[in-house]
Amino acid sequence: MASHAALPSMHSTIGAMEIGIIVNVLLLGATSTQAYYYFVRFGDDNKFLRLFVFAVWLCEIGHTVGVLHALYEVTVTFFGNPITLVQPPKSLILSLVTGGLSTALVQFFFAWRVYQIVGLVSLALFCSFLTLILLAGCLGVSITAYHVSSLPLYLNTHEWLFTSLLVIRMANDIIMTAGLCMALAKSRKSARRRTTAIIDRLLLWTLESGVLTAMCAVVVVICFFQSRSTFIWIGVYVVSPKLFSNSFLAILNGRESLRQQMGSVVTSTLRTDDLMNSGARNRAAPGVMDINVVKVQHTTMDYELGSIPNEKV
């Protein structure tokens, strides 16, 4: 009885992990729906980007299969065996690889997005470097933790590694989101009125995709330090890859609404120029109109982050 009393509560261990895995499965449905929508609606994207999306989705499938297998072992195969509270299934360890790879791919995309939108090479390279560290650390944790007999003992001996990876991941999300938002806000001050709506949309996308993942990373760090003996931090951690993949696909699929918005901007620009240029000034209007449309199209190509058809104006 004494040994069982020393074990953590089922609610904060298996229960917390089960809730996290259920949310993981639900978010996989959203990821798969978004992936299907992407392949149907954006067939004109280049092959590399389409393969990139498929790789992220495939990693997410592998991650969910791993955590579901771990849940089955804990609740069915080894039901009632208290050893499962200190020795997690091997499939849960292996899911770190697929989840870590999926997260790394999305973070590489976000870093490239920083360079593509605002041209901050140093920030993009720094975030990519942090992502490489996280990927290598995730693989290292998976290898070293595969043969452990006690998770609490492993966490005590490798606390520095877990802490470093969690903090670096949190910092990477915050730095990337804050850097992109600050750069966009600075660009908005000098932008023309007709392009501020596009920058506002990009700011909203950045906040939607970055803040959610950054908050999840913060929660994982807090749970890890406050209740490391439980599985609460694991329950939150298994959800985080799905937040990254859904944010990534939401950005790609959101380009359709951006294209529609850009089309309305072009139409508005043409009508305004046509009204303002009359009489002798009408002869200069075509040149002005061409410059405006080219500028908007160039902005679209920079901000959509995908291959779009070449359109002649």
Side-chain angles (χ1 to χ4, degrees):
M1 293 294 293
S3 60
H4 286 273
L7 293 173
S9 168
M10 294 286 286
H11 297 288
S12 60
T13 52
I14 296 177
M17 186 177 73
E18 184 173 1
I19 292 174
I21 292 174
I22 291 173
V23 176
N24 178 292
V25 173
L26 292 176
L27 290 177
L28 177 64
T31 302
S32 300
T33 302
Q34 289 207 74
Y36 174 79
Y37 182 86
Y38 168 79
F39 285 112
V40 170
R41 300 293 297 179
F42 294 95
D44 56 342
D45 277 353
N46 62 70
K47 184 178 296 186
F48 176 79
L49 183 57
R50 291 167 65 84
L51 288 175
F52 191 90
V53 172
F54 181 75
V56 171
W57 178 76
L58 202 62
C59 288
E60 292 296 348
I61 293 289
H63 180 254
T64 300
V65 169
V67 295
L68 282 174
H69 181 268
L71 180 63
Y72 185 86
E73 285 206 332
V74 170
T75 57
V76 178
T77 305
F78 300 105
F79 176 74
N81 189 349
I83 195 65
T84 57
L85 300 181
V86 295
Q87 185 178 0
K90 304 299 183 184
S91 53
L92 185 63
I93 304 298
L94 291 176
S95 68
L96 289 175
V97 178
T98 52
L101 182 58
S102 171
T103 301
L105 289 174
V106 174
Q107 286 187 318
F108 279 130
F109 172 83
F110 286 166
W112 177 79
R113 181 169 169 253
V114 169
Y115 166 73
Q116 184 75 5
I117 293 180
V118 294
L120 295 177
V121 180
S122 57
L123 180 60
L125 289 177
F126 179 70
C127 292
S128 298
F129 176 70
L130 292 181
T131 302
L132 281 175
I133 294 177
L134 291 172
L135 181 58
C138 184
L139 293 176
V141 168
S142 302
I143 294 173
T144 56
Y146 188 78
H147 298 290
V148 297
S149 58
S150 173
L151 180 60
L153 179 61
Y154 179 80
L155 292 178
N156 287 333
T157 57
H158 294 78
E159 180 181 5
W160 64 273
L161 180 57
F162 264 88
T163 303
S164 300
L165 292 178
L166 292 176
V167 171
I168 291 174
R169 179 179 174 181
M170 178 183 66
N172 195 23
D173 291 338
I174 294 175
I175 291 172
M176 211 177 307
T177 303
L180 187 54
C181 285
M182 291 175 62
L184 287 172
K186 184 178 179 180
S187 300
R188 191 181 188 279
K189 293 180 180 179
S190 58
R192 296 185 179 182
R193 185 172 58 182
R194 61 174 172 268
T195 59
T196 55
I198 308 302
I199 298 179
D200 289 341
R201 175 64 65 88
L202 292 171
L203 278 169
L204 180 61
W205 280 0
T206 302
L207 291 174
E208 289 177 345
S209 61
V211 172
L212 187 61
T213 55
M215 286 180 60
C216 183
V218 172
V219 172
V220 172
V221 171
I222 293 174
C223 292
F224 179 76
F225 284 112
Q226 293 296 323
S227 54
R228 189 171 56 184
S229 61
T230 69
F231 290 174
I232 296 177
W233 65 276
I234 297 178
V236 180
Y237 188 83
V238 298
V239 174
S240 59
K242 296 299 182 292
L243 298 181
F244 277 95
S245 59
N246 274 285
S247 299
F248 163 63
L249 289 169
I251 289 172
L252 293 179
N253 291 332
R255 292 176 298 164
E256 185 171 15
S257 62
L258 181 60
R259 288 179 179 182
Q260 295 173 356
Q261 185 174 353
M262 292 300 296
S264 64
V265 170
V266 172
T267 304
S268 176
T269 302
L270 290 174
R271 289 177 178 174
T272 302
D273 287 344
D274 187 55
L275 290 174
M276 291 180 61
N277 292 277
S278 57
R281 295 174 59 188
N282 247 344
R283 292 189 295 270
V288 175
M289 289 175 5
D290 288 344
I291 292 173
N292 289 335
V293 174
V294 170
K295 180 178 179 62
V296 173
Q297 286 185 335
H298 178 70
T299 304
T300 308
M301 295 174 73
D302 284 345
Y303 291 170
E304 277 197 345
L305 306 177
S307 175
I308 58 176
N310 293 325
E311 299 176 2
K312 295 182 180 181
V313 180

